[in-house]
């Protein structure tokens, strides 16, 4: 599937005028970026490698007190559609280093607090069957409620409230999967059909020898996602970070099929 991405952002900046951006489509084996252009008025840009060697980040040093940003890309997604429930688990001693790191608790995903719950609820399953059961549980128990959480909400709070946005759904997948010894990391993507259209959060789990994208909100399928970056949780892959306060004036994200 070929997707076109259009992003426009206008922010009032703090006096430092330095912004760290994570919004460009990554080049991976499962997606080819045919065209990509990032334009920021009055800015000097330096790129650095993304976490897990996925994608890249951009430091923008901006010469004025407002950021006017435009990003466009055309990406061909070649990610195969697979039956998650049929995927085999990988023994812990056979995991690569990048997957081992994705078993650890993190700031927003306190997976070590969910071990007993996961053992009781999903203990009789393994591999893809366990992941499918976790996704079904999230779908049954949680409600998608815009503005029901904020940047400080952890998975512990989400588990109690049973509501949230895509960020919270992704954190829940990561926490429950890690507690089940399935490596999982947070992934930021552009997704076709996401409502409201915006930067989207999903999870990436390691099963049957590869990373697999899963969207617990069930808004879009893996072949409809363009991967941007991955990390332990939302703290690692924020689409924009500044040294001080930044105020949004306008922002629009559009994903359309080509």
């Amino acid at each position: 599937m070929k997707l076109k991405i259009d992003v426009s952002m206008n922010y009032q900046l703090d006096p430092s005028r330095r912004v760290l951006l994570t919004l460009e489509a990554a080049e991976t084996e499962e997606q080819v970026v045919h065209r990509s252009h990032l334009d920021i008025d009055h800015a000097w840009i330096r790129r650095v490698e993304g976490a897990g060697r996925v994608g890249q980040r951009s430091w923008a040093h901006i010469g004025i007190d407002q950021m006017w940003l435009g990003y466009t890309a055309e990406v061909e997604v070649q990610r195969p559609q697979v039956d998650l429930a049929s995927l085999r688990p990988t023994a812990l001693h056979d995991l690569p280093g990048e997957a081992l790191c994705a078993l650890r608790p993190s700031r927003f995903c306190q997976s070590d607090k969910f071990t007993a719950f996961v053992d009781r609820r999903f203990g009789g399953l393994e591999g893809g069957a366990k992941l499918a059961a976790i996704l079904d549980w999230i779908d049954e128990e949680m409600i998608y409620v815009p503005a029901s959480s904020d940047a400080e909400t952890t998975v512990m709070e989400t588990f109690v409230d049973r509501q949230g946005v895509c960020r919270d759904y992704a954190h829940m997948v990561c926490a429950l999967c890690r507690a089940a010894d399935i490596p999982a990391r947070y992934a930021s993507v552009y997704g076709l059909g996401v409502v409201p259209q915006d930067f989207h959060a999903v999870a990436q789990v390691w099963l049957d020898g590869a990373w697999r994208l899963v969207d617990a909100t069930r808004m879009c399928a893996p072949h409809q996602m363009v991967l941007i970056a991955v990390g332990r949780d939302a703290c690692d892959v924020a689409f924009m970070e500044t040294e001080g306060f930044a105020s949004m004036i306008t922002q629009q994200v559009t994903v359309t099929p080509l």
Side-chain angles (χ1 to χ4, degrees), residues 2-257:
K2 292 183 179 180
L3 297 173
K4 185 174 186 295
I5 299 159
D6 289 284
V7 178
S8 62
M9 298 167 58
N10 179 207
Y11 277 76
Q12 183 71 39
L13 300 177
D14 67 276
S16 75
R17 299 175 181 172
R18 282 190 293 271
V19 181
L20 179 60
L21 300 163
T22 308
L23 50 75
E24 295 178 84
E27 285 275 7
T28 74
E29 294 180 356
E30 296 181 334
Q31 62 188 44
V32 178
V33 181
H34 291 294
R35 186 177 68 84
S36 176
H37 181 67
L38 175 63
D39 180 49
I40 307 175
D41 286 355
H42 299 88
W44 173 79
I45 298 174
R46 182 176 72 86
R47 288 180 167 83
V48 295
E49 187 176 60
R53 297 184 177 179
V54 176
Q56 60 184 0
R57 294 180 172 186
S58 299
W59 274 109
H61 298 257
I62 301 170
I64 56 178
D65 60 4
Q66 280 194 33
M67 181 183 73
W68 297 84
L69 178 153
Y71 172 67
T72 61
E74 293 179 5
V75 184
E76 183 176 356
V77 181
Q78 302 171 338
R79 192 169 295 112
Q81 299 185 57
V82 299
D83 177 16
L84 289 176
S86 68
L87 296 177
R88 296 173 299 173
T90 302
L92 293 181
H93 61 269
D94 288 329
L95 291 172
E98 62 180 315
L100 274 174
C101 292
L103 286 171
R104 309 289 182 242
S106 61
R107 176 180 176 183
F108 293 113
C109 297
Q110 303 96 325
S111 53
D112 53 321
K113 305 298 184 182
F114 291 89
T115 305
F117 170 76
V118 167
D119 285 345
R120 288 196 303 269
R121 188 67 177 77
F122 310 107
L125 303 169
E126 65 176 11
K130 181 174 284 190
L131 170 63
I134 288 172
L135 293 174
D136 285 342
W137 181 88
I138 293 173
D139 186 54
E140 293 169 3
E141 293 291 328
M142 287 186 60
I143 301 173
Y144 190 97
V145 181
S148 59
S149 62
D150 58 33
E152 298 300 321
T153 301
T154 71
V155 74
M156 298 293 290
E157 296 165 287
T158 302
F159 185 77
V160 172
D161 295 340
R162 303 291 170 95
Q163 64 180 14
V165 295
C166 61
R167 172 188 185 275
D168 308 299
Y169 277 70
H171 283 163
M172 186 63 71
V173 175
C174 288
L176 296 183
C177 283
R178 292 172 191 173
D181 286 334
I182 299 174
R185 58 191 186 185
Y186 186 99
S188 60
V189 303
Y190 294 108
L192 182 65
V194 172
V195 180
Q197 188 67 77
D198 204 341
F199 298 102
H200 193 45
V202 298
Q204 207 182 37
V205 300
W206 182 274
L207 282 172
D208 218 349
W211 288 110
R212 319 284 180 171
L213 285 174
V214 292
D215 182 3
T217 70
R218 302 194 170 175
M219 290 188 189
C220 54
H223 70 283
Q224 298 172 315
M225 303 180 200
V226 173
L227 181 64
I228 302 170
V230 298
R232 296 164 299 174
D233 52 38
C235 187
D236 285 343
V237 294
F239 69 87
M240 187 178 81
E241 298 176 65
T242 58
E243 294 182 15
F245 182 76
S247 176
M248 185 181 72
I249 299 172
T250 61
Q251 178 170 295
Q252 185 172 7
V253 176
T254 306
V255 182
T256 52

